[in-house]
Amino acid sequence: MAQATLTRTVAVRRGRGRRGESLTKVLFVLPAALAMGALFGYPVVKNLVMSLQDYGLRTFFTGEAPFIGLKNYSAMVSDQLFSQAMVNTALFTIGSIAFQFGIGLALALFFRRRFPLGGLLRSLLLLPWLLPLIVSSATWRSILEQDNGILNRTLTGLNLIDQPVPWLNSPSVALIAVIGVNIWIGIPFNVTLLYSGLAEIPEELYEAGQLDGATGWRAFTHITWPNLRAVAGVLLMLGVVYTIKVLDIILGLTGGGPANATQTLATQSYERSFVDFKFGEGAALSNLLIALSFVFAIFYLRSTRRAVDE
Amino acid sequence: MITSKRSTTVLAGAVALSLALAACGGGNDNGSSGNSGAAVTSLTVLDYYNNDPDKALVQKGLDACGTKLGVSIQRETVPGDTLIQKVLQQASSKTLPDVLMLDNPDVQQIAATGALAPLNDLGLNADGVIQGMVDATSYDGKLYGLAPVTNTIALFYNKDMLAEAGVQPPKTWDELKAAAKKLTKPGRYGIAFNANATYEGSWQFLPAMWTNGGDETDLKTPQVAEALQLWVDLVQSGSASKSVINWTQGDAKDQFVAGKAAMMVNGPWQIPALQESPKVKWDVVTFPLNKPDQTPVAPLGGEAWTVPLNKDQAKQQKAADFVKCLNSDENELAWAKARFTLPTKAALLDQYAKEVPSMKAFAEQVKTARSRTGKLGDKWPDAAKVIYQAIQLALTGKASAQDAFKQASGG
């Protein structure tokens, strides 16, 4: 009898203790959950709701934003610039990431060898990343200027070109120029992460590999790359998410021009919202951007999960 | 005056959206609109003259009217391209100022939302004001704003360069093209203008388009195409830089000051900057005509002062009186002289041109000028967008001047 009471009280106490413990857990999670809800959840939900509303200039004064179903989305898709903006966004994202990653990897491998002033050079390489984007785009705008820009002057001075290249003035060249500037801005980020990834690879692996005849290119494919894959995966995923929504560089360089040659989904979304004051259509476009980033995030999460399972 | 600083707009835009969204949550009614019967002792003012010397000069005018009406002025200034976003935030949080300055083509759009008080009901009128400005500041037959001063664009030229080349200031488009060609030499273009993909690019195109009889209600007419052909000819002949499609009016001024352009299409607000480089001797003529029998029609710039709706009747009346004071003859002339702008009352223009000779061409241009929103009202931005996109298509060779407007309007 006494025994039974004892076990029961213990059980109760334990239960109470467990309940207290779980309450503590909830309390620990709560601030983060609230912050997530307020800072991430609310804007996303608000954006979704907005994309279903006729949310214009008037809304700010009257507070009225009638629901109009999917009209904003059909307006978005039927816009004459939509397909061009999609293609430009794809070209911009793929072009930027391919070269940022490629050049970043080459530079990271280069700086892995120790040489005098290597550390200094590596920190100088961070410069494009440290400059405010508005400053870099304004600077590049003057560098790429057709008549007096330093780039054309240099190229003509070296007799590499006869005619100045219309970097930002020709619809067929402007996108390439804008991608080029974005690559320049993205390289430091890629070098930094890849360099730290390379530093994690134990030196012994290379020594062991050397005994088996794995040097140079073979060392890269059999030792460096497999060990770098996790870092590369994160880097590419972040790269897509960062690049797909790039706005300031394009606005600073070309404003989406000339003749809409550098319009992307992001610049179109900005224009709908803050030039045309059609916030509903702007929200629809930005939801499309969020969805695209989301697809890449899922793709990345699945691939890492598979790696863990293996 | 139009300014375009895109890059700053980006950040401001992003901030504005988040703020505006946050403001949507709590729609409590506070700020200036308390319903107190007490005497009005202060007025809040919002404008975009945030740089000196304009900032200080406007402050002087505001203070003078404040003293006259026995109120203190609490003024806030924001950068030009963020004003509308600021107004939207304040509208959604019900904290609009008592007196609000708006760029004249925005007045109808804001009035259409029902945010502004009709000034006729508060004892104000636009008697004697040039018709173009009355059109810009009226909506649905009611007056919503008054602009003490205005501006427009005309053709600046470098006296020394024209004299050296033996060229007279052009009066017709043919003369303009010939002069620009003759003035072009290595390292220098005949003319600089702005044809960028913003409302600023459309604004610079209007003197050519309107003077030639083109009209924003139908952009597919031969008159409009002819005007566009002028821009195309100037660029394709090499008399103007291909970079005009990215230039702002400020860039055009920089080219002119640096001696890299012999002429430019620009407005009087650039005069203080031109005076800083006394080596450049310049003068201004009205924008050339296509055919000699045409009258020049340029667009009207300048800002109007409005009174947002206020539950506090006494305060609203005081704000209207304040706007009236700002638009007195005396203040119009003082501001026009100090800031290289033009009075909006037709009767003051001749006297003003005599006193400020450098503004003579602009004073002439203003008399026949019209406003951007005069015909289309709050639909003007749609037309302006078609205009700048058509210019971009034609100048980059993606469409002929004839087809550009059709292509830009998506038809």
Side-chain angles (χ1 to χ4, degrees):
Chain A
M1 184 66 183
Q3 187 72 25
T5 328
L6 191 66
T7 40
R8 204 185 301 146
T9 48
V10 169
V12 166
R13 200 173 294 148
R14 232 183 242 155
R16 205 178 280 150
R18 209 169 290 148
R19 219 175 294 140
E21 201 176 296
S22 57
L23 186 69
T24 322
K25 277 183 194 160
V26 169
L27 282 176
F28 268 115
V29 172
L30 200 63
L34 282 177
M36 289 281 280
L39 298 174
F40 293 99
Y42 176 74
V44 169
V45 172
K46 177 78 190 171
N47 212 38
L48 276 171
V49 174
M50 231 168 146
S51 72
L52 303 173
Q53 288 174 314
D54 178 10
Y55 204 107
L57 206 55
R58 193 182 292 266
T59 309
F60 287 87
F61 297 92
T62 59
E64 288 162 18
F67 280 93
I68 51 165
L70 294 173
K71 263 193 197 145
N72 286 329
Y73 289 93
S74 62
M76 169 182 95
V77 177
S78 60
D79 189 276
Q80 54 170 345
L81 285 177
F82 180 69
S83 53
Q84 199 191 344
M86 280 291 268
V87 172
N88 284 351
T89 308
L91 288 175
F92 182 80
T93 310
I94 295 168
S96 297
I97 290 180
F99 284 95
Q100 280 173 1
F101 186 80
I103 299 172
L105 183 58
L107 283 170
L109 286 169
F110 176 68
F111 281 111
R112 221 175 105 87
R113 306 160 172 228
R114 294 214 169 70
F115 53 88
L117 295 182
L120 179 76
L121 280 175
R122 198 157 47 84
S123 44
L124 278 180
L125 205 68
L126 285 177
L127 219 61
W129 200 19
L130 301 177
L131 283 176
L133 285 178
I134 289 170
V135 175
S136 3
S137 54
T139 312
W140 274 102
R141 218 185 89 146
S142 67
I143 293 174
L144 295 172
E145 220 269 329
Q146 186 172 353
D147 304 314
N148 302 304
I150 193 165
L151 184 59
N152 275 343
R153 287 248 168 141
T154 312
L155 291 176
T156 39
L158 294 170
N159 287 323
L160 290 171
I161 48 170
D162 305 326
Q163 288 293 316
V165 180
W167 293 113
L168 300 174
N169 295 341
S170 154
S172 45
V173 187
L175 188 62
I176 298 171
V178 172
I179 292 173
V181 174
N182 193 49
I183 291 170
W184 175 82
I185 287 166
I187 286 174
F189 179 67
N190 281 266
V191 173
T192 311
L193 284 196
L194 288 171
Y195 183 83
S196 64
L198 285 176
E200 292 286 299
I201 304 173
E203 203 55 44
E204 294 81 42
L205 283 180
Y206 289 99
E207 282 164 18
Q210 226 160 8
L211 294 177
D212 296 334
T215 51
W217 178 248
R218 288 187 64 182
F220 175 78
T221 50
H222 287 99
I223 303 169
T224 313
W225 183 246
N227 282 296
L228 206 57
R229 223 141 98 196
V231 176
V234 178
L235 194 56
L236 289 173
M237 200 273 299
L238 286 177
V240 170
V241 174
Y242 283 156
T243 312
I244 209 166
K245 65 173 176 59
V246 163
L247 176 70
D248 20 25
I249 300 164
I250 301 179
L251 284 190
L253 284 171
T254 62
N260 294 318
T262 52
Q263 292 282 7
T264 63
L265 293 176
T267 58
Q268 282 283 293
S269 171
Y270 170 81
E271 208 172 295
R272 290 278 175 292
S273 296
F274 297 110
V275 180
D276 302 346
F277 300 120
K278 290 173 184 157
F279 290 92
E281 287 183 26
L285 271 162
S286 58
N287 281 331
L288 177 64
L289 275 178
I290 293 171
L292 285 172
S293 305
F294 198 58
V295 168
F296 279 96
I298 290 175
F299 185 71
Y300 164 74
L301 286 176
R302 284 189 61 126
S303 69
T304 47
R305 191 178 303 153
R306 205 177 303 132
V308 171
D309 289 346
E310 277 165 12
Chain B
M1 163 182 347
I2 340 180
T3 45
S4 164
K5 289 177 204 142
R6 265 162 162 167
S7 25
T8 41
T9 321
V10 182
L11 285 182
V15 174
L17 180 62
S18 44
L19 286 178
L21 290 177
C24 288
N28 58 330
D29 196 348
N30 56 11
S32 55
S33 47
N35 208 349
S36 62
V40 182
T41 55
S42 72
L43 288 174
T44 52
V45 176
L46 174 67
D47 65 67
Y48 68 38
Y49 303 107
N50 67 324
N51 285 318
D52 279 326
D54 267 0
K55 187 177 179 179
L57 288 168
V58 168
Q59 185 71 47
K60 241 165 93 182
L62 297 179
D63 286 341
C65 281
T67 316
K68 207 170 157 191
L69 295 173
V71 290
S72 65
I73 302 299
Q74 280 150 18
R75 178 187 182 203
E76 188 183 357
T77 60
V78 295
D81 42 14
T82 64
L83 178 74
I84 293 295
Q85 282 145 16
K86 178 91 189 171
V87 169
L88 293 182
Q89 286 164 34
Q90 292 184 333
S92 58
S93 61
K94 308 263 190 285
T95 52
L96 281 169
D98 301 319
V99 178
L100 170 66
M101 184 225 75
L102 288 171
D103 195 11
N104 80 72
D106 295 331
V107 172
Q108 298 201 21
Q109 226 179 348
I110 302 295
T113 65
L116 304 178
L119 296 180
N120 316 79
D121 303 351
L122 297 165
L124 270 67
N125 60 56
D127 292 347
V129 175
I130 45 173
Q131 191 55 40
M133 193 49 88
V134 180
D135 291 343
T137 55
S138 303
Y139 178 74
D140 256 0
K142 282 186 175 160
L143 183 72
Y144 284 93
L146 278 175
V149 289
T150 181
N151 61 56
T152 186
I153 43 179
L155 189 69
F156 284 77
Y157 64 91
N158 186 311
K159 282 189 190 167
D160 294 341
M161 289 180 190
L162 264 73
E164 185 200 31
V167 175
Q168 289 298 312
K171 291 199 171 64
T172 64
W173 290 4
D174 286 335
E175 284 176 26
L176 176 68
K177 284 189 262 187
K181 185 140 206 186
K182 214 169 166 192
L183 289 161
T184 303
K185 61 179 198 185
R188 183 175 93 191
Y189 285 102
I191 185 167
F193 56 92
N194 145 17
N196 69 13
T198 67
Y199 296 140
E200 204 185 3
S202 309
W203 146 269
Q204 284 243 321
F205 179 66
L206 291 175
M209 177 175 127
W210 280 346
T211 301
N212 199 38
D215 196 298
E216 62 272 27
T217 51
D218 182 9
L219 289 167
K220 290 170 198 164
T221 59
Q223 287 91 331
V224 179
E226 269 172 39
L228 184 51
Q229 190 64 48
L230 173 66
W231 262 198
V232 173
D233 288 345
L234 286 170
V235 172
Q236 280 184 355
S237 65
S239 307
S241 167
K242 286 195 164 62
S243 302
V244 294
I245 53 169
N246 283 321
W247 280 351
T248 62
Q249 300 186 106
D251 293 329
K253 181 259 297 171
D254 290 342
Q255 298 287 322
F256 185 79
V257 170
K260 287 178 180 165
M263 300 184 281
M264 68 166 173
V265 182
N266 229 320
W269 60 89
Q270 305 288 14
I271 292 179
L274 293 177
Q275 286 175 335
E276 278 170 27
S277 16
K279 267 197 221 150
V280 182
K281 303 269 182 300
W282 53 271
D283 207 347
V284 192
V285 287
T286 54
F287 192 83
L289 314 168
N290 187 15
K291 300 183 187 92
D293 57 336
Q294 291 171 333
T295 7
V297 187
L300 279 177
E303 294 79 18
W305 298 82
T306 67
V307 177
L309 276 179
N310 198 330
K311 278 184 197 139
D312 185 341
Q313 298 290 335
K315 202 151 209 178
Q316 185 170 291
Q317 186 58 52
K318 201 68 159 180
D321 295 343
F322 184 75
V323 171
K324 193 175 185 174
C325 172
L326 290 179
N327 285 276
S328 66
D329 290 1
E330 194 188 333
N331 194 52
E332 284 202 8
L333 280 171
W335 270 9
K337 276 181 207 163
R339 297 175 42 225
F340 290 102
T341 49
L342 298 141
T344 49
K345 293 208 184 85
L348 300 175
L349 278 170
D350 287 327
Q351 181 199 339
Y352 175 73
K354 254 179 236 148
E355 287 174 34
V356 192
S358 63
M359 294 294 288
K360 196 168 158 273
F362 290 109
E364 245 166 78
Q365 196 98 312
V366 154
K367 280 184 204 163
T368 49
R370 69 184 180 87
S371 72
R372 286 159 275 178
T373 47
K375 288 199 178 172
L376 291 178
D378 55 345
K379 298 282 179 297
W380 160 252
D382 299 335
K385 216 171 162 179
V386 173
I387 294 175
Y388 71 65
Q389 295 201 333
I391 298 172
Q392 293 259 313
L393 288 171
L395 290 186
T396 54
K398 286 191 107 182
S400 67
Q402 281 74 31
D403 294 338
F405 280 94
K406 207 190 280 175
Q407 209 171 311
S409 55

